[in-house]
Amino acid sequence: MKDQHQFVRTGPLMEVSSYPEWTQEMVHYCDRFKSEVVEHDLFTQMKEARLEHSIHKAFLSGGWPVIDQFPQYMAMNLLKIRYGQGEGHDMARRYLIRNIRVEQNHADHWVNWASESGVDIQAMLHNQHALETLSLSQWCWQVCDRESLAVAMAATNYAIEGATGEWSARVCSEDRYANLFDEEVRAKAMKWLKLHAKYDDAHPWEALEIIVTLVGLQPSQVTITKLRNAICKSHQFMRLLLDHYMRPATQVAARAQLALA
């Protein structure tokens, strides 16, 4: 007999209307925080091929801790799963096992992107990063270590992968950034971006379906609040990282304005 509280999606995977009303409300609430990441000036300048080279390199280097650790976040969540404990657990098991190796390949592509952008790779791999940068990776590690499978996947596979897919698509929506790379290395340098802009767009929606399947059609308000807060915190920590790298440029512009006053 089917559990009346069990969620079974009937509509398209990537349409929010296919999910319960509480999920739709949560997604719409969190989207305003996600938009602050996706529409951030760092990505606007990157798309328009006018991002300062020093900021560009600092962003690629500073983003590395999360790229490096992302397969580990997923492995931590995999440890929470026991086969046969429910459809949500089985879906999560398949999703995580399939995508852990994918994330390892993505780490290789990030290193290639950084290398072709002039980043000192050894320094990137072993450097002491700014606290504003480490806050995102520390948050991801904490939520995957301490919270439930649903909350942890909401913070990482839904929130971070979702925002990343959208900002990558923005950067790739024009050819100006890609054309900064010499033709012989362009494909290699752009592979991380191209993969996230084109092929990974279903991943956050798959994660959302798993999350809703795990918690059911009528979760408690406490559960909904935990999910919403985890998603929004991930977006806020992403925004903090971006603001940190744009701060020097903002300070220079502010000093210029004062000089003209």
Side-chain angles (χ1 to χ4, degrees):
M1 183 176 179
K2 179 183 175 182
D3 184 348
Q4 62 178 341
H5 299 299
Q6 181 180 347
F7 169 71
V8 178
R9 178 177 56 82
T10 56
L13 173 69
M14 297 172 60
E15 288 186 12
V16 71
S17 59
S18 300
Y19 300 89
E21 185 175 349
W22 70 264
T23 313
Q24 297 178 40
E25 292 173 355
M26 179 184 72
V27 168
H28 290 315
Y29 179 91
C30 296
D31 274 354
R32 59 177 172 163
F33 295 93
K34 180 175 68 173
S35 67
E36 293 179 352
V37 175
V38 176
E39 303 294 329
H40 199 279
D41 193 43
L42 188 149
F43 298 129
T44 299
Q45 293 189 28
M46 184 182 290
K47 179 187 75 169
E48 297 172 355
R50 57 184 180 88
L51 185 64
E52 288 185 20
H53 190 48
S54 59
I55 297 175
H56 183 229
K57 292 197 299 180
F59 164 72
L60 288 170
S61 181
W64 171 249
V66 173
I67 302 297
D68 176 34
Q69 294 176 9
F70 214 86
Q72 295 170 300
Y73 307 148
M74 298 170 75
M76 292 164 73
N77 287 328
L78 186 59
L79 289 173
K80 302 170 186 176
I81 298 170
R82 294 296 179 270
Y83 185 85
Q85 285 193 338
E87 181 61 22
H89 275 249
D90 292 347
M91 292 168 65
R93 178 186 173 94
R94 289 191 294 268
Y95 175 93
L96 292 169
I97 290 174
R98 183 178 77 241
N99 287 310
I100 284 174
R101 183 166 184 175
V102 171
E103 291 301 330
Q104 175 55 47
N105 293 335
H106 288 175
D108 295 335
H109 300 325
W110 183 279
V111 170
N112 291 336
W113 181 19
S115 178
E116 298 301 338
S117 299
V119 174
D120 182 332
I121 298 302
Q122 289 305 309
M124 181 184 80
L125 297 179
H126 305 294
N127 196 13
Q128 294 294 318
H129 297 281
L131 292 178
E132 290 86 349
T133 294
L134 293 175
S135 61
L136 177 59
S137 60
Q138 291 297 317
W139 156 248
C140 291
W141 192 277
Q142 174 183 311
V143 74
C144 291
D145 181 49
R146 299 183 182 179
E147 297 293 344
S148 68
L149 176 63
V151 171
M153 288 189 67
T156 52
N157 299 110
Y158 175 72
I160 291 181
E161 288 203 66
T164 298
E166 291 187 30
W167 71 252
S168 298
R170 275 197 75 208
V171 173
C172 293
S173 64
E174 300 178 8
D175 292 331
R176 283 187 280 180
Y177 178 73
N179 289 337
L180 290 175
F181 297 99
D182 292 337
E183 187 174 359
E184 60 268 23
V185 301
R186 188 175 300 150
K188 181 180 179 182
M190 291 291 296
K191 189 164 187 178
W192 188 94
L193 279 170
K194 293 289 188 180
L195 284 171
H196 285 78
K198 291 184 178 180
Y199 303 123
D200 281 6
D201 55 356
H203 285 180
W205 289 98
E206 291 171 349
L208 182 64
E209 181 181 23
I210 292 168
I211 291 160
V212 180
T213 304
L214 285 167
V215 302
L217 289 170
Q218 299 177 11
S220 68
Q221 187 57 50
V222 170
T223 297
I224 295 172
T225 300
K226 282 187 174 183
L227 291 169
R228 184 186 67 192
N229 289 347
I231 294 166
C232 292
K233 277 188 177 181
S234 290
H235 292 149
Q236 288 172 308
F237 278 119
M238 293 177 82
R239 171 70 186 271
L240 181 66
L241 183 150
L242 298 169
D243 286 348
H244 169 71
Y245 288 116
M246 290 301 291
R247 190 171 297 127
T250 304
Q251 291 172 347
V252 169
R255 286 195 294 268
Q257 288 293 328
L258 287 173
L260 293 172

